[in-house]
Amino acid sequence: MSVRVGILGATGAVGQRFIQLLDDHPTFELAAVTASASSVGKPYREAAKWRVDTAIPDDVADMEVRATDPEAIADANVDLLFSSLPSGVATEVEPAFLQEGYVVSSNSSNDRMAPDVPLTIPEINPEHLGLIDVQRDERGWDGALVKNPNCSTITMVPTLAALDSFGLESVHVSTLQAVSGAGYSGVTSMEIIDNAIPHIGGEEEKMETESRKLLGAFDGAGIELHDADVVASCNRIPTLDGHLENVFAALSEDPSPAEVRAAMRDLPSADLHSSPDQLIKVFDDENPDRPQPRLDRTYAGGMGVVAGGVQTTYEGVAYNCLAHNTIRGAAGASVLNGELLVKEGYV
Amino acid sequence: MSVRVGILGATGAVGQRFIQLLDDHPTFELAAVTASASSVGKPYREAAKWRVDTAIPDDVADMEVRATDPEAIADANVDLLFSSLPSGVATEVEPAFLQEGYVVSSNSSNDRMAPDVPLTIPEINPEHLGLIDVQRDERGWDGALVKNPNCSTITMVPTLAALDSFGLESVHVSTLQAVSGAGYSGVTSMEIIDNAIPHIGGEEEKMETESRKLLGAFDGAGIELHDADVVASCNRIPTLDGHLENVFAALSEDPSPAEVRAAMRDLPSADLHSSPDQLIKVFDDENPDRPQPRLDRTYAGGMGVVAGGVQTTYEGVAYNCLAHNTIRGAAGASVLNGELLVKEGYV
Amino acid sequence: MSVRVGILGATGAVGQRFIQLLDDHPTFELAAVTASASSVGKPYREAAKWRVDTAIPDDVADMEVRATDPEAIADANVDLLFSSLPSGVATEVEPAFLQEGYVVSSNSSNDRMAPDVPLTIPEINPEHLGLIDVQRDERGWDGALVKNPNCSTITMVPTLAALDSFGLESVHVSTLQAVSGAGYSGVTSMEIIDNAIPHIGGEEEKMETESRKLLGAFDGAGIELHDADVVASCNRIPTLDGHLENVFAALSEDPSPAEVRAAMRDLPSADLHSSPDQLIKVFDDENPDRPQPRLDRTYAGGMGVVAGGVQTTYEGVAYNCLAHNTIRGAAGASVLNGELLVKEGYV
Amino acid sequence: MSVRVGILGATGAVGQRFIQLLDDHPTFELAAVTASASSVGKPYREAAKWRVDTAIPDDVADMEVRATDPEAIADANVDLLFSSLPSGVATEVEPAFLQEGYVVSSNSSNDRMAPDVPLTIPEINPEHLGLIDVQRDERGWDGALVKNPNCSTITMVPTLAALDSFGLESVHVSTLQAVSGAGYSGVTSMEIIDNAIPHIGGEEEKMETESRKLLGAFDGAGIELHDADVVASCNRIPTLDGHLENVFAALSEDPSPAEVRAAMRDLPSADLHSSPDQLIKVFDDENPDRPQPRLDRTYAGGMGVVAGGVQTTYEGVAYNCLAHNTIRGAAGASVLNGELLVKEGYV
């Protein structure tokens, strides 16, 4: 079975990752790419300044860039849209596609906390997809909007889900985030060489709120947020890709490091093409200096999470985790949500 | 008044910082430098591979390097010794100098947690120097050994001391540490370019134990450790100098960010040459991205602490702090302790 | 004697360096700062995002930013203007000030190769200032426009001037240039971390043409370009400040490395406040790995040139040289030209 | 046909690359690995600190490390040895294997300029292998020793070979070399962050001599060095992998940039497994900022050369070239020479 897909905002950094990940995808066939007005009508190879480390697929290189509105893609017969629009643009444009009945798997940060929008990681909370029915009722559209979380959130939440069996009570987390998380021009070299920046605008709040939604319970009408307090401090450091995070979790139970590692390793995978066989790779005590961004960010093609350094503390555990921020943390997350939407019959 | 001083282990990275800081010091006059066997007898300029960013002082350049034993420095008439020996060497060698009656202000990590050895930051716990009398009784020597804490500890503890008035209950801290903290050859370029390492051997334990001793109470016979739990995760990142730390503190009281900032700013300075007029510089909300290592590590000539990003959390506060790890965190800390020893009459 | 000066384009990276260098200048008193329309009327502290490593001087912080036109600065009674405008803006705006009789020492790249505009390094070709009379005749203004060369040119030319006594015939040069040369946002972190870029638009041509003008002879009516061929390859690398250059020079004579080093060291200084006592510091054979950007860029407060690695080749010599690109290579160069203009009576 | 091979010095950085490249090689079957005394007898996985970005092949992980002498590998029935020993060790040890009749393809730098030792790049000078007969006569051994050039030499020589049809007269070259070229611990982070080092001991001489041998003519008895003068300046910069080089070549003819690019692209490949279909990829004028280390070092699996920025100069051409220093510049070069030895019947 083949599903025809389109990418809204296909020329940017995340858009390029979409194209890379969709190349040779067994189910998805890329049929339309959109971008802003200055690119419309150009072949993709001219419109995009391609910077991904594999070549532009030949068929995409010649594809004509369309405008980002439903009419412009009407003849492409697309069943599923991936969105990597800037959130300001997405707020205005995504509803138009949803009104036309499109299913949209979006990486844009708008509406992630909207009560009727599922925010999903397929291995963690696939049942939240049920919110789509609520959404259709409330919004009165035939389409379906699904969001994936922010890159720093998605790195941590699978490990928290594993801990939840031990009674997760609260979380403190410090992040060491790669510059690619801010987009190609987001961090200048003069800002970050021989330096670190202990603040990323809005990031801390995203981690604190999105985590509780992802770990929350769907009761058929809405999501009850998980009641764990989450406190985040976010830092930018001079790495290219891969967000590393130090997590301190308070637990009601008292598991050993070995039990924590086992819980992380045993987290079930999703039966989807882009989901790794083992979602979380966990380093033991003999490798206390792992995960490291450059060595571990490509685990499972960048779709896995890597953890390590598990220690018990006076109130629970401390450990480190890492994921590739532009694959598992952005385009790959949306593609995986797209696979879930197909599997669950929404496409 | 001039005090003749010597440096044990003068050719290494911290030894060079000692020489830089002692140049033009108003009280201390450098009279002897020691190093390992291969350097003994050479002029300092030949023995040291000088890498500090100011030139070798002329008089030091021509000074003959001595062996690191009491006999070899006997004719130098030194009243105070600074030690930057590797801890393994220091464990063996420092006692010999103490037996001979020398006062030693040491940056080496051995014996920091010994019950009769004062571990001091002059602005924070100068009264701990009273332990010297206990030490002399127990060890039967006329000398005096004072230690300064580890570089990552010293960055955080002044801010915790400021918080203690609000009832400090527990601390979680993540560090983003500069490569110079591992010595000149401690971190290879292949390890750290485009990378971060979430583990520094022994560092976490040092932060957890030293902090509680520094904040503890001296009762005339010993130090009662502060009862706050401290949990640390330590990371190495690609910066040259300056340790940045994310601190999460649980407090029994409920201060506002403004009250926390005021408490930090109002921490009293020590009346000593190398102590800044204001120990902790604090950035307000309009600069949430400060402190940053490259921009803030030279505050007060590298002897100050810089804090910022103060936020309230469900259990207390979160904030960031930074200090220059090889000045305030190493050589400068020992020099400052030396100044305290002189002021208090131990030299 | 005090000279009242203004800065055209005072809020950018070079503008900030001007303010830093003019603070405590013995002759120049800063009386006016201009910037683009969005900054006009604001106090400087609000208009500029200050990023230099020293604090904004208090008096400048409160100075009101003026528009960049002669009328807006008329009441400031300024005798000399420094310009760090973008070259497109400078092309339009500088003539207006010159028509009004202002003397302008400009770092902007426009008009550097104009036949009647002196391009000067005070230690190298101060006599080129005589072109001002030609310029006034041709342009019909009372003002005077002097330019300093591009940062990569100025790094190399003092060493070439020293070599000229040995019959300079041709030059090949490769540059390793710091990111600050492109301005604060000129090079993104994603472009340059773990990378190098072997192209800087327009830079190679600037080095090839400006060098020949700087080394050329002034015959009272114009500059005869030096006849040495100059071929440059320019690279951007991940350093913050300091351009390092590998120079290969063909010579008609056959000097030894020691003679070349002596010629560089003996190059006369200019008798001006900002000119170093020794313009070129030269490392001998025992330090073949110098100059290095981080270790040597602050020689003489960033106003010096540092050379080393002198070797003879089949056709002449090879060596390396380095200068601080935003001090000697930009703002400092203009200030020094301003000092020359005062000394020579043009102000 | 399968050839059993061994690696002398298998645990180091280049040794690990050999193992990575030999995994799944269609002809070579790894049968023995040797290392220094402290590793002998251990399984490889314990003896090596594995740092390559792919996992250790399972069969190699369990292989027992042998001593580096002929007796210790006698029962492995190896037909071909790859050597990545330190040159000091190789000088002593390689002859023992050659006396025993082994064919050795060596990356070690000793003996590269010996008159009877072929120094080969299979695409450039395969006929130099004829020196083996001279070598056997002179040395009186049945074995055969072949060397590949230094990593910085091998990056440039294919492009020079393409230029030779235009009458190559002299070469000036500046290198921007990655830290991996110095081995895992060769460059400390404190040396290179925010810095560059304009000297690599011995590297310049290697480029100057090896290039002339590689481009020289084999007359049946020896190699007549190419008569082009080669002058090199070598720099270390903060990149992980990939040496970038600026080349200035004087030519007797006057080709256009297009002709130079065509000559580079048309250089014949070798009909060998590890030789790329197109040895030199060449960027046109529309990409003047390429090649770049991070974007281009993996061309052809790291076995290709990438060139660009071709410009004419007063005496010939200037251009940039790049290759992966630990693949094409080290282990991959030796493997390719091994394939040539098999093809030519020496194994």
Side-chain angles (χ1 to χ4, degrees), chain D residues 199-219:
Chain D
H199 180 71
I200 300 176
E203 195 87 355
E204 298 173 356
E205 192 189 346
K206 288 176 190 169
M207 292 190 78
E208 294 167 9
T209 59
E210 294 178 9
S211 297
R212 298 180 63 195
K213 184 171 180 181
L214 286 157
L215 296 171
F218 175 57
D219 64 5

Short mmCIF file of all heavy atoms in Angstrom, two decimals, chain D residues 199-219:
data_model
loop_
_atom_site.label_atom_id
_atom_site.label_comp_id
_atom_site.label_asym_id
_atom_site.label_seq_id
_atom_site.Cartn_x
_atom_site.Cartn_y
_atom_site.Cartn_z
N HIS D 199 51.89 24.72 12.36
CA HIS D 199 53.08 23.87 12.28
C HIS D 199 52.69 22.46 12.68
O HIS D 199 52.03 22.25 13.68
CB HIS D 199 54.16 24.38 13.25
CG HIS D 199 55.41 23.57 13.24
ND1 HIS D 199 56.29 23.58 12.19
CD2 HIS D 199 55.93 22.69 14.14
CE1 HIS D 199 57.30 22.76 12.45
NE2 HIS D 199 57.10 22.21 13.63
N ILE D 200 53.11 21.48 11.87
CA ILE D 200 52.93 20.07 12.21
C ILE D 200 54.27 19.41 11.93
O ILE D 200 54.73 19.37 10.77
CB ILE D 200 51.81 19.44 11.35
CG1 ILE D 200 50.48 20.18 11.60
CG2 ILE D 200 51.66 17.96 11.67
CD1 ILE D 200 49.32 19.71 10.74
N GLY D 201 54.92 18.94 12.97
CA GLY D 201 56.31 18.50 12.87
C GLY D 201 56.54 17.46 11.75
O GLY D 201 55.91 16.41 11.75
N GLY D 202 57.41 17.75 10.83
CA GLY D 202 57.77 16.80 9.78
C GLY D 202 56.82 16.77 8.61
O GLY D 202 57.14 16.23 7.55
N GLU D 203 55.63 17.34 8.78
CA GLU D 203 54.59 17.23 7.76
C GLU D 203 54.96 17.95 6.47
O GLU D 203 54.72 17.45 5.37
CB GLU D 203 53.28 17.82 8.31
CG GLU D 203 52.05 17.46 7.54
CD GLU D 203 51.44 16.14 7.99
OE1 GLU D 203 52.04 15.46 8.86
OE2 GLU D 203 50.37 15.77 7.47
N GLU D 204 55.53 19.12 6.62
CA GLU D 204 55.86 19.89 5.43
C GLU D 204 56.88 19.16 4.56
O GLU D 204 56.74 19.09 3.34
CB GLU D 204 56.38 21.28 5.84
CG GLU D 204 55.28 22.04 6.59
CD GLU D 204 55.74 23.36 7.19
OE1 GLU D 204 56.94 23.67 7.10
OE2 GLU D 204 54.89 24.06 7.75
N GLU D 205 57.90 18.58 5.21
CA GLU D 205 58.91 17.87 4.45
C GLU D 205 58.30 16.64 3.77
O GLU D 205 58.64 16.32 2.63
CB GLU D 205 60.05 17.46 5.38
CG GLU D 205 61.25 16.97 4.60
CD GLU D 205 62.31 16.35 5.50
OE1 GLU D 205 62.23 16.55 6.73
OE2 GLU D 205 63.19 15.65 4.95
N LYS D 206 57.40 15.96 4.48
CA LYS D 206 56.75 14.80 3.84
C LYS D 206 56.02 15.21 2.57
O LYS D 206 56.10 14.54 1.54
CB LYS D 206 55.77 14.15 4.82
CG LYS D 206 56.43 13.39 5.96
CD LYS D 206 55.37 12.86 6.94
CE LYS D 206 56.03 12.31 8.20
NZ LYS D 206 55.04 12.03 9.27
N MET D 207 55.28 16.32 2.65
CA MET D 207 54.54 16.76 1.46
C MET D 207 55.49 17.09 0.32
O MET D 207 55.21 16.82 -0.85
CB MET D 207 53.67 17.97 1.79
CG MET D 207 52.52 17.65 2.72
SD MET D 207 51.35 19.04 2.85
CE MET D 207 50.43 18.87 1.30
N GLU D 208 56.59 17.71 0.66
CA GLU D 208 57.51 18.18 -0.37
C GLU D 208 58.26 17.03 -1.05
O GLU D 208 58.49 17.07 -2.26
CB GLU D 208 58.48 19.20 0.25
CG GLU D 208 57.76 20.48 0.70
CD GLU D 208 58.57 21.39 1.60
OE1 GLU D 208 59.78 21.15 1.76
OE2 GLU D 208 57.99 22.34 2.15
N THR D 209 58.63 16.00 -0.26
CA THR D 209 59.40 14.90 -0.85
C THR D 209 58.50 13.81 -1.42
O THR D 209 58.73 13.30 -2.51
CB THR D 209 60.34 14.30 0.20
OG1 THR D 209 59.57 13.83 1.32
CG2 THR D 209 61.35 15.34 0.68
N GLU D 210 57.48 13.42 -0.67
CA GLU D 210 56.63 12.32 -1.13
C GLU D 210 55.91 12.67 -2.43
O GLU D 210 55.73 11.81 -3.31
CB GLU D 210 55.61 11.95 -0.05
CG GLU D 210 56.23 11.37 1.21
CD GLU D 210 55.20 11.05 2.29
OE1 GLU D 210 53.98 11.10 2.01
OE2 GLU D 210 55.61 10.74 3.42
N SER D 211 55.51 13.93 -2.57
CA SER D 211 54.79 14.32 -3.78
C SER D 211 55.66 14.11 -5.01
O SER D 211 55.19 13.63 -6.05
CB SER D 211 54.40 15.81 -3.71
OG SER D 211 53.52 16.02 -2.65
N ARG D 212 56.92 14.48 -4.89
CA ARG D 212 57.81 14.36 -6.04
C ARG D 212 58.10 12.90 -6.38
O ARG D 212 58.30 12.55 -7.55
CB ARG D 212 59.09 15.14 -5.79
CG ARG D 212 58.80 16.65 -5.60
CD ARG D 212 60.04 17.45 -5.34
NE ARG D 212 60.93 17.38 -6.49
CZ ARG D 212 62.22 17.73 -6.45
NH1 ARG D 212 62.75 18.17 -5.31
NH2 ARG D 212 62.95 17.64 -7.54
N LYS D 213 58.12 12.03 -5.37
CA LYS D 213 58.31 10.60 -5.65
C LYS D 213 57.06 10.02 -6.31
O LYS D 213 57.14 9.28 -7.29
CB LYS D 213 58.63 9.85 -4.36
CG LYS D 213 58.93 8.36 -4.58
CD LYS D 213 59.45 7.69 -3.32
CE LYS D 213 59.75 6.20 -3.55
NZ LYS D 213 60.25 5.53 -2.33
N LEU D 214 55.89 10.37 -5.78
CA LEU D 214 54.64 9.83 -6.33
C LEU D 214 54.43 10.22 -7.79
O LEU D 214 53.91 9.44 -8.59
CB LEU D 214 53.46 10.35 -5.50
CG LEU D 214 53.29 9.70 -4.13
CD1 LEU D 214 52.51 10.62 -3.20
CD2 LEU D 214 52.59 8.34 -4.25
N LEU D 215 54.84 11.45 -8.12
CA LEU D 215 54.68 11.94 -9.48
C LEU D 215 55.87 11.60 -10.37
O LEU D 215 55.92 11.97 -11.55
CB LEU D 215 54.47 13.46 -9.47
CG LEU D 215 53.21 13.95 -8.76
CD1 LEU D 215 53.23 15.47 -8.62
CD2 LEU D 215 51.96 13.51 -9.54
N GLY D 216 56.86 10.90 -9.81
CA GLY D 216 58.08 10.59 -10.54
C GLY D 216 57.90 9.42 -11.49
O GLY D 216 56.87 8.75 -11.52
N ALA D 217 58.96 9.18 -12.29
CA ALA D 217 58.92 8.13 -13.31
C ALA D 217 59.75 6.94 -12.88
O ALA D 217 60.87 7.10 -12.36
CB ALA D 217 59.45 8.68 -14.63
N PHE D 218 59.20 5.74 -13.08
CA PHE D 218 59.92 4.51 -12.78
C PHE D 218 60.59 4.03 -14.05
O PHE D 218 59.94 3.82 -15.08
CB PHE D 218 58.92 3.47 -12.25
CG PHE D 218 59.54 2.11 -12.03
CD1 PHE D 218 60.64 1.96 -11.18
CD2 PHE D 218 59.03 0.98 -12.65
CE1 PHE D 218 61.21 0.71 -10.96
CE2 PHE D 218 59.58 -0.27 -12.44
CZ PHE D 218 60.69 -0.41 -11.59
N ASP D 219 61.90 3.86 -14.01
CA ASP D 219 62.64 3.48 -15.21
C ASP D 219 63.11 2.03 -15.16
O ASP D 219 64.02 1.64 -15.87
CB ASP D 219 63.83 4.42 -15.40
CG ASP D 219 64.84 4.30 -14.25
OD1 ASP D 219 64.66 3.43 -13.37
OD2 ASP D 219 65.82 5.07 -14.25
#
